[in-house]
Amino acid sequence: MPETIFVLNGPNLNLLGTREPEIYGSDTLDDIAGMLEDRARELGLEIDLRQSNHEGHLVDWLHEAQAEGARAVLLNAGAFTHTSVALHDAIKAIRTPVIEVHLSNPHTREAFRHKSYVGMAAKATIAGFGAQSYLLAFEGASRL
Ligand code: DQA
């Protein structure tokens, strides 16, 4: 059985492609899924990409990643990045490595984006490369 890397996406990321394209680019989440699937096939891995606008789903999926023996989790928690102690605790609660991903670079944006509860618990962070952030994070995760 090929190992799986979970790719979890939080609120508003279902709107990628049309959502503030000057910040987030024109790729949709399906485009990103396709790009990751191509690379996963080359590496003999699988991806399980999900999106939810609900914080609790992301918490449940982090637990599930560990229960399913996933190699790693890529997590773009969207705005929950900057608010969610529950996600911080969930990342701490599992042994599965979690890599924080952002399309934009939150540190160059509004002050409220400068704090990351996800980043404070994650193994690593990749941000600011647009859709390529996911691919770079995937490369890192595949080498863990
Ligand atoms: C984001 C950055 C967050 O600050 C924002 O709330 C998002 C997207 C990114 O991928 O750049 O929803 O996570």
Side-chain angles (χ1 to χ4, degrees):
M1 278 289 283
E3 277 190 296
T4 301
I5 293 180
F6 277 43
V7 185
L8 305 182
N9 296 278
N12 302 305
L13 293 167
N14 53 313
L15 298 181
L16 276 186
T18 56
R19 174 193 181 196
E20 298 184 275
E22 65 286 1
I23 297 175
Y24 298 116
S26 54
D27 286 317
T28 65
L29 204 51
D30 279 348
D31 294 334
I32 291 171
M35 185 173 84
L36 292 176
E37 271 156 17
D38 288 348
R39 186 62 185 136
R41 209 169 301 115
E42 288 170 3
L43 295 171
L45 293 166
E46 278 187 358
I47 65 154
D48 187 337
L49 185 143
R50 306 178 190 185
Q51 188 276 333
S52 176
N53 295 321
H54 304 277
E55 187 176 8
H57 289 163
L58 296 169
V59 171
D60 288 343
W61 292 342
L62 285 164
H63 299 174
E64 190 183 328
Q66 166 155 286
E68 298 286 320
R71 163 91 63 101
V73 177
L74 310 189
L75 175 60
N76 184 351
F80 293 144
T81 302
H82 316 297
T83 61
S84 180
V85 177
L87 281 176
H88 176 96
D89 286 351
I91 295 165
K92 291 275 205 185
I94 62 173
R95 288 178 305 281
T96 313
V98 175
I99 301 180
E100 177 186 31
V101 180
H102 298 287
L103 297 132
S104 66
N105 179 355
H107 293 288
T108 63
R109 301 178 62 195
E110 303 95 325
F112 63 82
R113 297 185 203 276
H114 295 178
K115 182 165 189 166
S116 172
Y117 289 95
V118 167
M120 283 187 274
K123 180 171 180 59
T125 298
I126 306 273
F129 291 99
Q132 297 298 319
S133 289
Y134 285 82
L135 204 52
L136 293 168
F138 189 80
E139 291 295 335
S142 73
R143 286 165 169 75
L144 288 172

